[in-house]
Amino acid sequence: MTMSGIASPPPRHRRRKQSGWRGLLYIAPAMALVGVFFILPVLFTIWMSLHKWPLLGKPAWIGFGNYVRIVSDARFLTALGFTAHYTIIVTIAIFAVAFPLAIFVEKQRPLVSAYRTIIFLPVVVGLASASLLWVWLANVDSGLFAPRMQRLGLTSSRINLLADFDTAFLTIIVMVVWKIAGFTMIILLTGLQAIPAELTEAARIDGARRWQRFRYLTLPLMRRTMALALILSVTGSILAFDQFYIMTSGGPQNRMISVVYYIFNQSFVSFNLGYGAALSIALLAILVAISIFQLWLLKVGDERP
Amino acid sequence: MLKRLLATTALAYALGLSTASAETISMWVRSGIGDSFKEVVKAYNSAGEDKVELTEVPFSELVQKYATAIAGGQAPDALSLDLIYTPAFAAAGQLEDLSDWAKSLPYFNSLSPSHVKLGTYEDKIYGLPLSVETSILAWNKELYRKAGLDPEKAPKTWEEIAANAEKIRALGGDTYGFYFSGGGCGGCMIFTFTPLAWGAGADILSADSKKATIDTPEMRKAVDIYRNLVAKDTVPAGSASDNGVNFLTFTNGKIGQQSIGAFAIGTLVTQHPEIDFGVTLIPGVDGKPSSFAGGDNFVVTKGTRKLEAVKKFLEYTYSMEGQKIMAKYGSLPTRGDIAGEVLEGLDPRLKVGIDAIAVAKTPYTLQFNDLINSSNGPWATFINAAIYGDDVDGAFSNAQSEMQSIIDAGQ
């Protein structure tokens, strides 16, 4: 693969010092926002995680006690396992739906902007509102699916979709794909549109078939875009909470407790803010590690595109 | 500049205090306890000088919302707190000590004793009874009639309830014989389901609350009764995922029998006059009835500046007028000395709620939220797994070990 057609930028050695200060000035507002709304809260969370910090009453310093507890916390490990399971399935599902959609709406065809808008619409619905909407859709008595399936004769009686793990999980996956796929589609669409038409045409003249063009041209050129979409999707899925909290309250027999749900429960149901903070820091570390791994896997940041 | 600003603020503050003849108290109440308290507030606001600003908070989130509000300095002046939480909040030092004032009330000794007991921590009184509620069994007389049952004959055993449920279900359509919130609503089920075991003398916690004792023959029998009701298709499928939102499904008129709270009597009478219903005590697995004595305590946030106004409002609630309004909307009288007078002329079914107090229990544990009420706690999980799951033995052993580990961790 020798696609490198972009010339490297001219050296800017002399100007670097001066523009360095100006650059800092330009990013100062953004840095201030990040400092106040990200770095300070993280530091405070770390501080809290070193305490036994009840929601009511006085905190007490316990050093790394909370972190020691994490290692042997079976329920946290279960939550991690469920979150991983969910993340893998939902990410595959989102890409399986979003990629064909992106290819579909990329080509100029009649009504293409109408299709794009329709597919993108669920994205602008808040996740909590979407969850509530689907709670109603999946309601066994007054909803849409169960009574409709019974009337069509697909099921002999009304099935309570949210009462059984498999059907409830499936409902949530379908809801999340419906909600998120449009967003992933837009990201992938920008990647597709960034591929120069000449390249595809040249490949076609060289006799590459449709699948070969996709496999050896489109996919490699979309690596950065896919990395972005993948990281957004994986991060979002690992932080999933609303849908489980609203749609199943943790699922039949607690089988849908995601990591964030567990942190929420520890902090605001059991009132162990300190332990919740420690879990949050552990989750942050896991997320950073996964993101670095993904960037490495997709070789984003290398000089070659 | 800053000094001047501070001075102005201080001045405004002082003026505000001296001219405040009519105060506005902010108060929270949990949802799902009927309208009795809201109606008292309405009457107080239209009559008195002071105003009570009422915020309704979902019952499943009240504790964490209040705890967060205290931490954030946004707590209301007073709230109607589920009585089982009073010891935990008092122990955390978040509530105002009301001992002296409470003991000076002429009717102090006739206030609901279980409420005062739970409102007392280390010999100081932090909570006073606001509403009393017991769990009872309601049946729909209209559906009894349609199913060919005697509408005036209250069911006395679970065999009877199950048989009636099947007959009512036989009416077909979306008419069902029985209902319960089985989808992880620990609060609903401790209220309506444990009386089955309590009536037979078993309990889910030891007397000192240090041992989980969920796996008893009585509880197994109770679970069997509910499993059987589900297996015979007498319970709507929605029950399996109802986390408490549809606790009052009985009010839709298509449920033959359901264990509900005495508050619901008021709701049914005032908002669903079309439903013809009877109430009776909840039978235990061997027929001996029992009930859960619940309700709310009135607690005051520590350090509120409106203590006097809050006291004035509570005194109004305890007056004959206040008690009558509460009772009319389904809260049982909190003052024993005037209970007879208060209930005079009101719906006779409320008397069943009063009778239930004699056989009722209230669990006492500082970990009620973790053990019972949390929708991901062991009790809520147990209910769903034991009644709807395939592995009853597993449900029992999991609940037993998890409850015990939570109790041990809290020691």
Side-chain angles (χ1 to χ4, degrees):
Chain A
M1 293 296 295
T2 48
M3 292 295 173
S4 176
I6 308 153
S8 52
R12 291 181 297 179
H13 219 71
R14 270 156 286 149
R15 285 192 298 168
R16 188 169 281 170
K17 206 166 188 179
Q18 189 198 356
S19 68
W21 284 108
R22 195 182 292 165
L24 269 185
L25 196 67
Y26 283 140
I27 62 166
M31 291 308 286
L33 282 177
V34 170
V36 171
F37 293 108
F38 179 71
I39 301 197
L40 284 182
V42 166
L43 290 178
F44 188 65
T45 308
I46 294 175
W47 174 246
M48 283 176 84
S49 73
L50 301 173
H51 291 75
K52 185 177 171 61
W53 196 303
L55 195 54
L56 298 165
K58 298 234 152 28
W61 174 269
I62 53 164
F64 287 95
N66 284 326
Y67 291 96
V68 174
R69 185 176 155 195
I70 290 179
V71 182
S72 57
D73 187 345
R75 284 193 287 170
F76 178 64
L77 297 179
T78 314
L80 265 184
F82 170 71
T83 310
H85 177 72
Y86 167 78
T87 302
I88 291 170
I89 291 184
V90 86
T91 303
I92 292 174
I94 287 176
F95 272 82
V97 171
F99 223 119
L101 281 178
I103 292 170
F104 173 71
V105 299
E106 193 235 343
K107 298 207 181 73
Q108 279 306 328
R109 60 177 91 223
L111 295 177
V112 72
S113 43
Y115 289 134
R116 283 181 195 165
T117 313
I118 290 170
I119 297 165
F120 191 72
L121 264 184
V123 177
V124 298
V125 181
L127 188 52
S129 329
S131 303
L132 276 174
L133 176 72
W134 278 69
V135 166
W136 168 71
L137 287 173
N139 185 292
V140 62
D141 293 316
S142 55
L144 180 75
F145 305 138
R148 205 50 58 90
M149 283 196 293
Q150 187 195 22
R151 214 163 300 160
L152 290 174
L154 294 173
T155 53
S156 57
S157 62
R158 282 186 198 168
I159 305 263
N160 189 345
L161 289 172
L162 297 179
D164 177 69
F165 177 81
D166 294 326
T167 50
F169 191 67
L170 183 72
T171 311
I172 287 182
I173 296 285
V174 172
M175 186 280 280
V176 171
V177 169
W178 166 82
K179 165 89 181 70
I180 304 289
F183 183 64
T184 311
M185 175 197 82
I186 292 290
I187 297 178
L188 294 176
L189 181 64
T190 57
L192 279 176
Q193 286 177 336
I195 299 173
E198 297 82 32
L199 285 179
T200 331
E201 217 169 290
R204 191 181 293 156
I205 290 166
D206 287 347
R209 274 170 311 206
R210 183 185 280 259
W211 168 250
Q212 284 174 319
R213 291 203 303 274
F214 178 74
R215 170 68 186 81
Y216 295 107
L217 194 82
T218 314
L219 271 188
L221 282 173
M222 282 186 64
R223 203 162 60 201
R224 280 156 195 270
T225 322
M226 287 204 333
L228 176 66
L230 192 65
I231 287 178
L232 284 177
S233 171
V234 167
T235 315
S237 309
I238 290 177
L239 296 178
F241 169 70
D242 314 37
Q243 56 268 50
F244 303 117
Y245 184 69
I246 294 172
M247 289 181 68
T248 60
S249 319
Q253 295 140 41
N254 285 351
R255 289 173 64 195
M256 288 196 201
I257 305 279
S258 66
V259 175
V260 178
Y261 201 147
Y262 185 64
I263 294 175
F264 170 82
N265 270 350
Q266 279 300 326
S267 303
F268 300 107
V269 177
S270 306
F271 303 150
N272 299 324
L273 284 188
Y275 189 51
L279 290 170
S280 306
I281 295 298
L283 180 61
L284 179 69
I286 292 172
L287 272 178
V288 168
I290 289 178
S291 299
I292 290 175
F293 175 72
Q294 286 183 84
L295 288 175
W296 170 80
L297 191 71
L298 289 155
K299 298 193 180 71
V300 175
D302 287 6
E303 281 304 312
R304 294 181 299 109
Chain B
M1 179 61 196
L2 190 66
K3 238 182 203 167
R4 201 199 288 167
L5 194 70
L6 278 176
T8 330
T9 322
L11 190 67
Y13 184 67
L15 278 174
L17 272 186
S18 59
T19 56
S21 54
E23 300 233 48
T24 302
I25 316 164
S26 62
M27 218 185 137
W28 285 6
V29 63
R30 60 181 170 132
S31 66
I33 60 164
D35 303 318
S36 55
F37 189 63
K38 280 183 248 170
E39 294 297 329
V40 172
V41 167
K42 225 186 261 171
Y44 188 70
N45 282 350
S46 60
E49 292 173 347
D50 293 354
K51 294 265 176 285
V52 175
E53 199 183 272
L54 201 62
T55 309
E56 199 173 354
V57 181
F59 70 93
S60 54
E61 285 158 30
L62 184 103
V63 177
Q64 49 264 46
K65 278 219 157 77
Y66 183 59
T68 333
I70 290 176
Q74 305 274 315
D77 297 307
L79 85 159
S80 167
L81 183 69
D82 196 334
L83 82 160
I84 46 183
Y85 294 132
T86 341
F89 276 69
Q94 301 300 331
L95 302 179
E96 191 77 38
D97 177 7
L98 304 171
S99 310
D100 296 336
W101 174 70
K103 284 179 185 152
S104 73
L105 294 170
Y107 40 81
F108 174 69
N109 286 323
S110 51
L111 291 174
S112 165
S114 65
H115 283 61
V116 177
K117 187 187 139 210
L118 279 144
T120 306
Y121 178 74
E122 291 182 346
D123 296 328
K124 288 192 184 127
I125 298 166
Y126 294 94
L128 288 169
L130 185 63
S131 53
V132 180
E133 145 144 290
T134 48
S135 46
I136 43 163
L137 180 83
W139 78 92
N140 187 319
K141 291 187 179 175
E142 180 70 33
L143 294 179
Y144 262 49
R145 228 170 271 137
K146 279 191 192 158
L149 298 160
D150 178 0
E152 300 308 323
K153 187 171 168 279
K156 289 266 172 279
T157 63
W158 282 96
E159 288 74 36
E160 228 177 298
I161 293 171
N164 293 354
E166 278 187 66
K167 282 189 188 139
I168 293 166
R169 178 66 185 125
L171 295 173
D174 46 7
T175 305
Y176 287 88
F178 194 74
Y179 189 81
F180 61 94
S181 301
C185 183
C188 313
M189 294 303 278
I190 192 85
F191 187 62
T192 59
F193 180 66
T194 37
L196 272 72
W198 286 345
D203 203 346
I204 57 169
L205 295 173
S206 64
D208 61 359
S209 299
K210 298 229 161 105
K211 283 264 171 304
T213 56
I214 197 162
D215 195 352
T216 54
E218 291 83 1
M219 183 54 85
R220 289 207 174 238
K221 215 168 149 193
V223 164
D224 277 346
I225 289 169
Y226 268 49
R227 282 186 76 91
N228 180 43
L229 283 166
V230 172
K232 294 266 167 65
D233 190 35
T234 62
V235 182
S239 151
S241 56
D242 177 11
N243 55 11
V245 177
N246 298 322
F247 181 65
L248 286 182
T249 294
F250 187 77
T251 56
N252 73 8
K254 288 172 178 165
I255 300 295
Q257 308 156 103
Q258 191 192 340
S259 297
I260 56 173
F263 288 150
I265 300 177
T267 311
L268 280 162
V269 170
T270 53
Q271 288 176 19
H272 302 274
E274 76 283 358
I275 295 181
D276 184 12
F277 70 99
V279 292
T280 184
L281 299 178
I282 300 175
V285 288
D286 58 1
K288 254 194 238 148
S290 184
S291 175
F292 181 104
D296 280 26
N297 261 341
F298 186 93
V299 299
V300 182
T301 307
K302 192 172 189 137
T304 175
R305 294 190 289 108
K306 295 172 181 164
L307 190 56
E308 290 314 310
V310 168
K311 286 177 183 169
K312 228 168 94 189
F313 170 67
L314 190 55
E315 277 172 15
Y316 171 77
T317 314
Y318 286 149
S319 70
M320 178 66 84
E321 193 189 338
Q323 293 279 292
K324 278 213 162 201
I325 297 172
M326 296 278 285
K328 186 178 164 204
Y329 289 93
S331 172
L332 308 170
T334 40
R335 274 178 67 181
D337 55 338
I338 55 170
E341 216 177 316
V342 166
L343 286 183
E344 223 167 74
L346 288 176
D347 200 288
R349 285 170 287 204
L350 284 171
K351 212 186 145 286
V352 176
I354 295 271
D355 294 343
I357 295 178
V359 292
K361 292 184 88 156
T362 312
Y364 186 98
T365 162
L366 293 180
Q367 295 151 310
F368 202 89
N369 209 29
D370 257 353
L371 287 174
I372 310 287
N373 263 12
S374 157
S375 54
N376 309 115
W379 168 252
T381 311
F382 163 75
I383 285 299
N384 189 266
I387 296 175
Y388 281 104
D390 300 321
D391 181 11
V392 179
D393 290 324
F396 269 100
S397 62
N398 284 345
Q400 174 69 30
S401 65
E402 192 157 331
M403 281 175 117
Q404 192 59 51
S405 81
I406 288 177
I407 294 171
D408 292 341
Q411 296 297 318

